[in-house]
Amino acid sequence: CSSLLNGRTSKRNPDGSLSLPNENLSKLKGDVMYHLALDNLNFDLPALYGDVKFVVMGGTKYRMREFACYVAELLGLPKDPKSVNHTKASQRFAMYKIGPVLSVSHGIGIPSMTTVLQELIKVMFYAKAKDPIFIRLGTSGGLGIPPGSVVVSSFGLSGTLEKTYELPVLGVIRKWPSYLDKRLSEELVCSASNFDEFKTYVAGTMGADDFYRGQGRLDGPLCDYSEADKMAYLDKLASLGVKNIEMEANAFAAITGEAGVRASIACVTLVDRLQGDQITTPKTVLKEWQKYPMQVVGALIKNYVERK
Ligand code: R2B
Ligand code: URA
């Protein structure tokens, strides 16, 4: 596979650093990234994060610490010496830095994820990081594929079956396209070909606003549709090229796209939603499966570091 990591979009400066279109930022005396407990007056962001190439995000603090340790081992770097959680003061999320990699938790769902994502984009902007790549590592429910498979997302689909991210802004519903970087996903698939333990698919991913009814489940505390309705919905998703459902994909795709950062999503599937709703696989097995997207992204990062 060839290296495709140096693509550009028009939103970046010639040196690859981000050029954000929000003119209000230049009028601020200082900018506080509140949920990361960082700001650009008291922290030397270029010195701290100017060398970051990969911002890897995932739901839980635990998983993102594990990913940081895994990357340290892979790159032969010391494990985050004092287990430094760079955002500890925020008491919200966790952020670890290993060489050119930031490993950051984002919680569950679009509002939590987009809050951290937008602050991380600003950190990369102030740090003048060159061509930073954003990747979400996640878990999901699969559609007609074996649990324990990896899906690299080509687009995010909204709960209303559009390839968009919808947000009410100033009282009006706005929509942005939710496609991910094609070449980066090809690179991830190429990395995945190093592993035989799991299958990897490139497909659409639905970003639902809820785990239960929002994903057509029958097992929530509230349910007002039939099993036939659920199956018709899941079949419709599958016919639109969707192979997995999680809770962030369309927003992650849209915000990174609008900000001009290259991005991809690699999720493991924990259940085949065409077979059931509950995740009954033992925790030990789930923990093993959650390593699969880490291995895929880890291989991509190692390849980049070795070629540099
Ligand atoms: C996948 O798993 C979480 C819900 O269990 C959510 O963050 C997601 O996208
Ligand atoms: N995460 C989700 O959002 N849905 C699933 O079915 C599994 C994990």
Side-chain angles (χ1 to χ4, degrees):
C1 313
S2 61
S3 179
L4 303 163
L5 288 172
N6 44 13
R8 291 264 155 88
T9 76
S10 58
K11 303 264 177 51
R12 273 169 272 159
N13 297 313
D15 68 353
S17 59
L18 300 184
S19 157
L20 295 180
N22 180 6
E23 286 172 8
N24 298 313
L25 293 181
S26 61
K27 296 177 206 147
L28 295 174
K29 288 216 173 70
D31 192 359
V32 178
M33 277 60 73
Y34 167 69
H35 301 86
L36 294 176
L38 289 172
D39 66 75
N40 66 347
L41 287 183
N42 296 295
F43 294 84
D44 184 350
L45 297 179
L48 286 168
Y49 303 114
D51 64 339
V52 170
K53 180 74 193 174
F54 296 94
V55 179
V56 183
M57 302 177 72
T60 76
K61 291 181 179 184
Y62 177 85
R63 188 149 33 89
M64 297 325 287
R65 185 164 195 282
E66 196 182 332
F67 182 68
C69 293
Y70 175 67
V71 168
E73 205 174 297
L74 210 58
L75 301 184
L77 294 170
K79 279 191 193 165
D80 206 359
K82 298 174 204 120
S83 296
V84 182
N85 171 359
H86 290 227
T87 82
K88 200 162 196 276
S90 78
Q91 300 187 339
R92 285 271 178 200
F93 301 102
M95 177 161 91
Y96 301 97
K97 184 172 185 298
I98 303 288
V101 180
L102 269 191
S103 178
V104 193
S105 69
H106 62 58
I108 288 188
I110 289 175
S112 177
M113 186 281 295
T114 56
T115 303
V116 192
L117 175 62
Q118 291 176 87
E119 292 185 6
L120 283 168
I121 289 171
K122 290 205 292 178
V123 170
M124 290 299 99
F125 168 67
Y126 293 124
K128 298 188 169 48
K130 311 284 183 293
D131 296 308
I133 284 172
F134 281 59
I135 301 178
R136 182 178 118 71
L137 285 179
T139 56
S140 60
L143 289 178
I145 55 177
S149 300
V150 170
V151 178
V152 175
S153 312
S154 43
F155 60 85
L157 198 77
S158 71
T160 50
L161 309 184
E162 288 183 53
K163 289 173 187 157
T164 59
Y165 161 51
E166 284 184 13
L167 181 75
V169 178
L170 306 181
V172 176
I173 301 268
R174 303 268 308 273
K175 293 182 190 189
W176 293 267
S178 52
Y179 293 92
L180 289 140
D181 190 285
K182 190 161 183 286
R183 292 186 306 146
L184 186 56
S185 60
E186 282 166 4
E187 278 235 313
L188 283 173
V189 170
C190 179
S191 301
S193 65
N194 293 312
F195 304 98
D196 299 329
E197 310 93 283
F198 53 87
K199 288 193 171 170
T200 303
Y201 302 83
V202 181
T205 298
M206 193 184 95
D209 283 329
D210 173 55
F211 188 80
Y212 290 98
R213 285 190 289 194
Q215 300 189 18
R217 280 188 154 81
L218 299 170
D219 62 345
L222 309 165
C223 185
D224 38 19
Y225 46 81
S226 67
E227 174 152 23
D229 295 335
K230 162 192 157 175
M231 293 313 290
Y233 181 63
L234 295 185
D235 287 345
K236 172 90 187 169
L237 286 179
S239 76
L240 293 171
V242 171
K243 285 215 185 306
N244 65 336
I245 306 175
E246 39 85 287
M247 296 178 67
E248 294 88 10
N250 54 328
F252 185 83
I255 290 180
T256 50
E258 191 185 0
V261 296
R262 300 181 62 209
S264 199
I265 304 175
C267 287
V268 71
T269 61
L270 305 183
V271 58
D272 179 358
R273 291 295 317 290
L274 300 185
Q275 305 298 326
D277 293 338
Q278 300 238 316
I279 299 169
T280 52
T281 303
K283 278 279 177 202
T284 47
V285 177
L286 293 178
K287 273 196 77 183
E288 279 309 300
W289 287 355
Q290 286 180 35
K291 290 184 185 156
Y292 296 164
M294 294 191 196
Q295 289 172 330
V296 172
V297 175
L300 178 101
I301 292 172
K302 190 164 193 282
N303 185 29
Y304 164 79
V305 169
E306 283 172 356
R307 278 164 180 269
K308 234 180 95 185

